Amino acid sequence: MKKNTMVLLGGFIIAGAIIFLLMAATPGSSGIELTLKELSATQDQHKDDFVTFEGLLIEKSIKWNPDKIELKFDVKDNDGNIMHVIHNGPKPDNFSEGVITILQGSPTTKDTFKAETVKTRCPSKYEGKDRENYDPETHKEKLNQPPKEK
C-alpha cells in the first residue's frame, strides 16, 4: 500500500473511534423523553432505552440509606400514575413534598425505574403555588421563552 493510503485509512479508523466514543459517552443525547403516563403505559417497550421523565415527589415514600448511598422514593403525576424510583447516588438538597423530580435512567420491572440522575426543581418557580394542577407542557413552554427585558 502507498503511504498516503495508509495515512488516510488510519485517519478514518481514528475518526470512527472518536465518533463511537462520543456517542457511547453521551447516552442522554440519544435518549427518549416521556411523560410518566406514557412511561407507565409503555414501560416494557423502553427497557433498553435511556429515558427522561418528570414527576412530583411523594415525600412519605423517601427511603435514604447513607451506608449504601441508595435512595428509593416514589413520584406521581396528576393522572394518578406512580413510579417507584431507585437511585444509587446522593440525595438532592431540596428533596421534599411537591418538588418536581427530573429523572434519567431506564425502567426495570413493572412501575420501577432505575435512575442514573435525579434533579429537582421547585414547581412554584414555574407554575405558581398550585402544585395540584402542575402541567409539564406549560413548564416546557415557559422554559423555551426568551427572558423578559427589564
Side-chain angles (χ1 to χ4, degrees):
M1 269 196 216
K2 291 184 179 180
K3 187 175 180 179
N4 288 344
T5 307
M6 290 185 65
V7 169
L8 191 59
L9 182 61
F12 281 126
I13 291 172
I14 290 171
I18 290 172
I19 290 171
F20 172 76
L21 289 173
L22 286 173
M23 290 175 65
T26 55
S29 65
S30 61
I32 299 169
E33 189 171 329
L34 299 171
T35 64
L36 180 52
K37 183 177 183 177
E38 292 169 337
L39 181 60
S40 295
T42 61
Q43 189 168 353
D44 291 337
Q45 298 172 10
H46 298 291
K47 285 195 183 289
D48 297 326
D49 295 333
F50 188 81
V51 176
T52 301
F53 78 98
E54 58 184 50
L56 295 170
L57 176 65
I58 302 172
E59 188 172 21
K60 295 174 186 169
S61 68
I62 298 172
K63 292 177 182 70
W64 169 241
N65 184 339
D67 295 332
K68 293 182 179 180
I69 310 175
E70 182 180 70
L71 178 62
K72 294 181 180 181
F73 58 96
D74 297 339
V75 294
K76 65 179 180 177
D77 65 6
N78 290 334
D79 295 327
N81 298 299
I82 295 177
M83 184 70 64
H84 308 290
V85 180
I86 301 168
H87 174 60
N88 292 94
K91 181 168 77 166
D93 291 336
N94 59 340
F95 217 58
S96 61
E97 184 74 32
V99 167
I100 300 168
T101 57
I102 302 165
L103 307 160
Q104 295 178 318
S106 57
T108 57
T109 59
K110 179 76 172 137
D111 295 329
T112 303
F113 189 82
K114 176 78 172 162
E116 289 183 25
T117 62
V118 176
K119 299 175 187 173
T120 59
R121 175 172 32 241
C122 179
S124 62
K125 180 176 179 182
Y126 303 99
E127 293 289 323
K129 298 187 188 276
D130 187 9
R131 293 180 181 160
E132 294 298 317
N133 295 315
Y134 165 69
D135 179 21
E137 292 304 316
T138 302
H139 165 77
K140 286 179 189 175
E141 289 172 13
K142 289 183 180 182
L143 277 180
N144 293 328
Q145 290 178 355
K148 294 179 182 175
E149 293 183 22
K150 293 182 180 180

